[in-house]
Amino acid sequence: VGSEMCIRDRLKEIKQSPNIIWRIKPIQGGLPRLIRVASYNAYFNASWRAEVPPDADGDRKIQDFAELDSFGVENPNRITGRKDEAIISREAASASYLPRFILRGAINPQDLLPIPSNTASVVIPAQNLEINSLGSLRIDPKHPVANATILWKDSLSTSRAPWHAKKPKGLKCPDLGIPKHEKDMIDRVARELKLHEGTLKERISRIRSHFIDNFTYTRYLDRPEPDSELQSDQFISIFLQDTRRGHCEYFATATVMLLRAAGIPTRYATGFAVVEFNSRTSEAVLRGTHAHAWCEAWDETNKQWIDVDLTPPDWTGLET
């Protein structure tokens, strides 16, 4: 799922492969609607990357992966957290009541493993796993096919909290960054939608209604010139003011920026939507056509990241 697929002059129609990439077989409980591969917080010229703020010495880390801790005599590969910082207690991560599913698919060295953003633990035999601060899971496979059991829970998150509360003095939080040349337009739309008022749920609802009422999902990108004073590199401003149409990456990026304008830390997530279930085999399949992008927003009240997917809901029918 490429973050480089935002806006490019050479693109016309975005084409995704219908081939099956992953299979998901539920064991207990339902399935999550979104399976995340990666999260990004730094936006530059229509592309996203993962970036950790400089530490006290001024060193900036990119994709700060660290080995995951493991535990358990019976199964030493049950994964719950970093060696230096547990994400969830061992007891909670392996609780018998948690919903869970089996994930199967081909895997290459250094690939990111698709998991729900609220994963509690991963059980995967004889594999080395690493996680970064934004919750992406990287695998160093011993076998060409990954066969993992994923446990998850709505109230959890694999990502660390945003840095806005504990960053060194004078450093900017990447979870709140807005491109300078697009800030005026994004701030104006945020004011029009009254995104500085109400609960997080109410603000998200206003953006959702705005997109459903005024925007169109499309895979066709003809990159028309803006009908205003906007410049050709003001991709999100052009989307919000002029074209008002695009695929999921436009809606996800715009949602990230609009909530940031209201002071809410956000990130850009890529992965898959779980929309195809085979009743004969009792499994869901993830195809290239199910690749998706959405926003992750920080819920300050509950101290957790939540998925915010505001792409018009008819996109799945158009893709499949």
Side-chain angles (χ1 to χ4, degrees):
V1 183
S3 64
E4 300 291 341
M5 287 173 51
C6 281
I7 306 177
R8 295 288 184 249
D9 289 337
R10 65 180 182 273
L11 293 182
K12 289 299 182 179
E13 184 174 12
I14 299 297
K15 298 181 184 298
Q16 300 279 25
S17 169
N19 294 339
I20 295 175
I21 303 174
W22 294 93
R23 297 177 183 273
I24 299 178
K25 192 174 186 67
I27 301 175
Q28 177 173 290
L31 290 176
R33 196 182 75 83
L34 298 172
I35 302 289
R36 186 188 63 192
V37 174
S39 292
Y40 307 91
N41 59 352
Y43 179 77
F44 299 95
N45 194 28
S47 64
W48 285 93
R49 70 181 184 185
E51 183 176 287
V52 176
D55 57 23
D57 297 325
D59 293 330
R60 184 181 296 275
K61 298 178 181 179
I62 305 296
Q63 295 283 6
D64 60 327
F65 282 94
E67 289 186 16
L68 280 162
D69 195 7
S70 60
F71 71 92
V73 176
E74 183 176 343
N75 187 344
N77 298 294
R78 187 182 300 277
I79 305 303
T80 57
R82 303 165 185 272
K83 289 184 176 180
D84 62 340
E85 179 183 359
I87 294 175
I88 178 178
S89 71
R90 298 177 179 183
E91 294 76 15
S94 57
S96 60
Y97 66 86
L98 290 177
R100 61 198 68 194
F101 59 85
I102 294 175
L103 174 73
R104 293 193 181 102
I107 196 80
N108 296 309
Q110 303 300 300
D111 276 358
L112 299 179
L113 194 68
I115 59 173
S117 59
N118 50 6
T119 294
S121 60
V122 178
V123 183
I124 183 167
Q127 310 285 2
N128 294 324
L129 293 175
E130 297 177 314
I131 194 168
N132 71 0
S133 294
L134 278 69
S136 298
L137 205 65
R138 187 166 68 185
I139 186 169
D140 183 14
K142 306 299 183 184
H143 309 289
V145 176
N147 188 58
T149 301
I150 312 295
L151 287 71
W152 57 286
K153 184 180 180 180
D154 285 338
S155 60
L156 300 179
S157 174
T158 62
S159 305
R160 287 181 176 177
W163 288 275
H164 66 293
K166 57 181 180 181
K167 62 183 178 62
K169 186 176 181 180
L171 296 178
K172 294 182 179 180
C173 172
D175 299 316
L176 289 170
I178 299 175
K180 290 182 179 179
H181 61 295
E182 301 219 62
K183 192 174 188 308
D184 288 345
M185 171 61 70
I186 292 170
D187 284 344
R188 182 175 67 79
V189 176
R191 288 194 300 271
E192 291 174 351
L193 297 179
K194 299 181 179 179
L195 298 184
H196 295 82
E197 305 173 8
T199 64
L200 176 59
K201 183 177 180 180
E202 291 169 341
R203 302 181 201 193
I204 292 171
S205 179
R206 291 184 196 122
I207 301 175
R208 177 182 289 109
S209 297
H210 182 60
F211 284 163
I212 291 177
D213 293 342
N214 302 291
F215 289 70
T216 304
Y217 177 86
T218 180
R219 292 179 299 172
Y220 189 84
L221 304 180
D222 54 4
R223 274 305 323 279
E225 290 301 315
D227 298 328
S228 67
E229 71 280 0
L230 296 175
Q231 303 300 312
S232 61
D233 63 344
Q234 293 178 274
F235 304 112
I236 303 307
S237 299
I238 293 172
F239 170 69
L240 288 173
Q241 176 173 293
D242 292 339
T243 61
R244 295 198 171 193
R245 57 194 179 93
H247 49 78
C248 59
E249 291 175 324
Y250 287 83
F251 288 97
T253 302
T255 302
V256 167
M257 294 303 166
L258 288 172
L259 288 176
R260 286 183 177 185
I264 299 170
T266 54
R267 293 170 181 171
Y268 174 90
T270 61
F272 299 90
V274 182
V275 295
E276 181 179 346
F277 191 84
N278 188 325
S279 57
R280 182 176 59 83
T281 60
S282 298
E283 66 179 14
V285 295
L286 303 181
R287 305 178 187 270
T289 48
H290 302 148
H292 197 41
W294 60 93
C295 166
E296 293 176 317
W298 178 249
D299 182 348
E300 183 65 28
T301 300
N302 296 304
K303 305 297 182 184
Q304 71 177 87
W305 292 98
I306 61 172
D307 291 328
V308 182
D309 180 14
L310 301 188
T311 298
D314 62 349
W315 78 269
T316 55
L318 295 173
E319 290 290 350
T320 56

